[in-house]
Amino acid sequence: MTTKRLDLPVEGMSCASCVAKVEHGLKDSQGVQAVAVNLAAGRANITYDPEATTTARFVDVVRSLGYDVPVQKVQIPVRGMSCASCVEKVESALRTVDGVLDAAVNLASERATVTALVTTPVGDLRRAIRDAGYEPLEVAGAAADDYERQARQREVQTLRRKLVVGTLLTLPILWGSLHHMGLHQIWIPEILKNWYVQLVLATPVQFWAGWQFYRGAWAMARHRTTDMNTLIAVGTTAAYLYSVVATLAPQVFYAGGLEPQTYYETAAIIIVLILLGRYLEARAKGQTSEAIRKLINLQPPTARVVREGGREVDLPVDEVELGDLVVVRPGERVPVDGVIEAGRSALDESMITGESLPVEKGPGDEVIGATLNRTGAFSFKATKVGRDTMLAQIVRLVQEAQGSKAPIQRLADRVAAYFVPTVMILAAATFLVWLLFGPAPSLTYALVTFVAVLIIACPCALGLATPTAIMVGTGRGAEHGILIKSGEALETAHRIHTVVLDKTGTLTRGVPAVTDVRTLNGFSEAEVLRLAASAEWGSEHPLGEAIVRRAREQGLDLARPDRFDAVPGRGIDADVAGQRVLVGNELLLAEHAVARDGATTAGVQLAQEGKTPMYVAVEGRSAGIVAVADTLKPEAAEVVEALRRMGLDVVMLTGDNRVTAAAIAKQVGIEHFLADVLPEHKVDEVKKLQAAGRRVAMVGDGINDAPALAQADLGIAIGAGTDVAIESADIVLIGEGLGGILSALKLSRQTMRTIKQNLFWAFAYNVALIPLAAGVLYPFFQILLNPVLAALAMAFSSVTVVTNSLRLRWKQLGPAA
C-alpha cells in the first residue's frame, strides 16, 4: 500500500484540547494512518492512503470540527490546448499535485482555475501543467511561500486592533469601578460610576473584542465538547450577565436580601488581558518559524538559462528544467542543483552545510541551489529542480520535523484531553460550595471564584510547551546544517549512552591514497602497482580507486581485466593480460592458499602505522603490498574528546584488521573499537551494544551504513551531500565535518531542557493556582484570587513558554563543520 504525507494548515486552534480534537477527528477518517497536530505551527501532519481518501476530505473534517483550513484560488493561463481531451489531461495533472482540492479548465478562455491549500506552491501547479505537455503562463501575485507570514501578520493586526479598542473602552470602566475596590480617595467622575454607562462601554468589549471566544466555544458546543474558548466565554459571560441583571433588574437581588453588585470591569479586563496575551504570543510564535523563512528566501527568484543559439534568458526558477544550462555570475546565488560544465569559482555553502570556508569548484563538481557564488563566473547543467533540489528537501524535512511530536508531548496531550471538562466540573463545584457554605454575600463570592477557576485553568501554555521548542530547535539546527527528522529524534538524542563512529568517511576524509608499495619475489614497484591497478580497473571501492589513481599519476599503462570478481570483505579476484591477480587482505590470500613469503611482517608494520595493507598475488605467488591510508579529519581527536566529556562512550567500527583499527583508534583517542566488521555485520554490532542496555547513536555516511543507521536508537548520517539520506537516518548532517555530531547532541539536550522547563511551569502554574482560585486559602488567610489577576497570570503563562523556547535561537552550538 502506498502512503503519502500532507501538511494541512489549520486555523483557529488555541490550546492543547483543540489539538486533541483535530487529531482525533482526522484519525477517525478512512485511510488515515497517523496524525500529528502542531499548535505552534498551526499544521496537521497526516500520513494516509491516497487511494482511500483525499485532501478535500481532510478539509471537510477540520471545518466540521469548528476550525478552518485556508485555501487559495489560483488562475493559470494555459497555452497549447486544442480539444476536450486536452482539458481532461490538464485537470488530471493538476489534481495529482499535493494539496489540490479541485481543478477546472476552461478551453475557451484557456485558463485553469485551481482550488488548493494556501501552502501548495504555485510552481508545483505550473510544473504539473508543463509535464502534461502544455505551457503555463505567468501567475500574478501568487506566492504560497509567504502564506504563514501573511497569516501571522493578519492575526497580529486583528489582535492589535481589538486590544487597542478594548483597552480604550475598558479603562473608563476600571476607573469608574475603583470605589468598589476600596480606593475612595481617588477622584472618579460620577458619569463613570453609572452602571448604565459601564454597560454601554462593556458590551462592545464583551461581544466584539471577545467574539472569537464565543465563536470558538459555539463550534465546540455543536460537537458536544469544550476547549479554552469555552472557559473564557463562560467565565466572562457569567460576570457580564450578573452585572446586566444587577443594572437592569436590581429588584431580583433586593428580593433575595442581597445588595446588587456589578463586575463589568472584571469581564472586560479579563478579555483585554487575554487578548494581550494572545497578541504577544502571536508575535513570539511568528519568530519560531523564522529559520524556515530564511531557508526559503535563499533561493533566487530567477535563473539565467542558455537557450538555442547561446542566448541567455532570465526565467522564473520554477521554469528551470532538467538538463538546462544555467549561468551564474559573481555575487549571485545558484538557483538549482547541478554540475559545473565550464568555469571555476569559490562558493559559500555555509547557509546549507554550516561550513564557513568557501569551497573551490570546477568542471565536474556539484553545486547546490541557494549557495552564494563568491568569485568567478561559471555555467552548470541543472540536475535537480523544483521539489528535488537540496534546499527543497531541507525545507520539507524541517517542516515535517516541526509538525511532528516528541514522545514527551504525549503526557501533555493526555492531560489536555480531560483538562477542560475537569475544570468545568471544578468551577461548578466551587460555585456551589461557596453559594451554599460561603459567607455573605455568598452569591458574589461564588461568582468570583467560579470565574477565577475558569480563567486561571486555560491550558494554553500546556499546548505550546513542546511544539514551540521543537520548532525553534529544528530551525536552529537547519541553520547549522543539522537536519532533524522528527521531534522523536530530537528527544532520543539527549538519551544516548554510546556513539558508534564508522571509520571511513566519518572519522577519516573518505578519500584514501597510496602511501607505500612493498615488493616480493622479484617484482618491481611499478609492476606491482600496474597489476594491482589493472585488476582494480572500474572498481567502485575507495581503496581500489586510490590504487588506480596512483598508477595513472605515475603514467603506468593499465590493462582492462578480462575477468573481475569482487569478494565481499576480502578483496578482488581478476584476470589481467592472462594472469590471475588477487588484491585484498590476508584472508583472501589464505583462502587461495597463497604463501605470504614474509609479507605478513611488512603488513603488520604498515598496519601499526594506521595504513591498510593490500596484499597482491600473481599466479598464486605473493608479489607485494600496496599500502593505502585514509587520512583522519583534522578535528576527529578533538570531537572524540568532547563526546567523552559529555559523558558518552565512543566506539569505532571498521572493516580494517585489528592492528590497523588499533592504530587509528589510538590517534583519535578511542578506547573501544570493533575491527574486521563486514558491511552486513555492522547492524549486528549495533544490536549487541543495544542488548547490553546501551542507547546507541550510529554515525555513518547514510548509504553503506543504512541498515546500522536504521537499527540504532539514533541514526546520524554525516556528509550526506546532495543525496540527503532521509530514509535511513534520524539526523542528517549536511557538512563533512565531525563538529555537527556535537552540535546535534548539544541542540537536543538544550531543546529537551527547554521542553521540560516549559512543561514544568505549565503544569505547576495550573496545579498551584487552581486551588488558589477556588479559594482554599480564604478560611485561613481571607485570601481570594481576583479573576483579573487570574486572567493576567493565564495570559502571560503562554507568553513565558513561547519566550523561553525562543531563547534556543541564541544558544551556542559550537561549530557544525
Side-chain angles (χ1 to χ4, degrees), residues 735-802:
E736 298 284 346
L738 288 171
I741 304 170
L742 289 174
S743 297
L745 296 177
K746 190 173 182 182
L747 177 63
S748 168
R749 293 186 178 190
Q750 290 173 349
T751 305
M752 291 309 303
R753 190 180 304 119
T754 300
I755 289 174
K756 289 174 181 177
Q757 290 169 352
N758 288 348
L759 288 173
F760 170 79
W761 287 114
F763 278 118
Y765 158 84
N766 282 300
V767 169
L769 295 186
I770 288 178
L772 182 61
V776 295
L777 297 181
Y778 188 83
F780 309 102
F781 306 105
Q782 280 69 55
I783 294 176
L784 270 184
L785 182 66
N786 190 305
V788 171
L789 296 178
L792 186 65
M794 189 278 289
F796 281 95
S797 68
S798 298
V799 178
T800 301
V801 163
V802 178

Side-chain angles (χ1 to χ4, degrees), residues 205-247:
V205 178
Q206 188 71 36
F207 298 107
W208 176 74
W211 182 247
Q212 64 196 70
F213 306 124
Y214 285 102
R215 186 175 63 243
W218 173 245
M220 291 299 100
R222 285 192 295 117
H223 293 88
R224 297 188 181 91
T225 185
T226 57
D227 69 355
M228 69 158 288
N229 291 301
T230 308
L231 301 180
I232 297 170
V234 171
T236 58
T237 302
Y240 174 81
L241 291 180
Y242 183 95
S243 304
V244 170
V245 173
T247 302

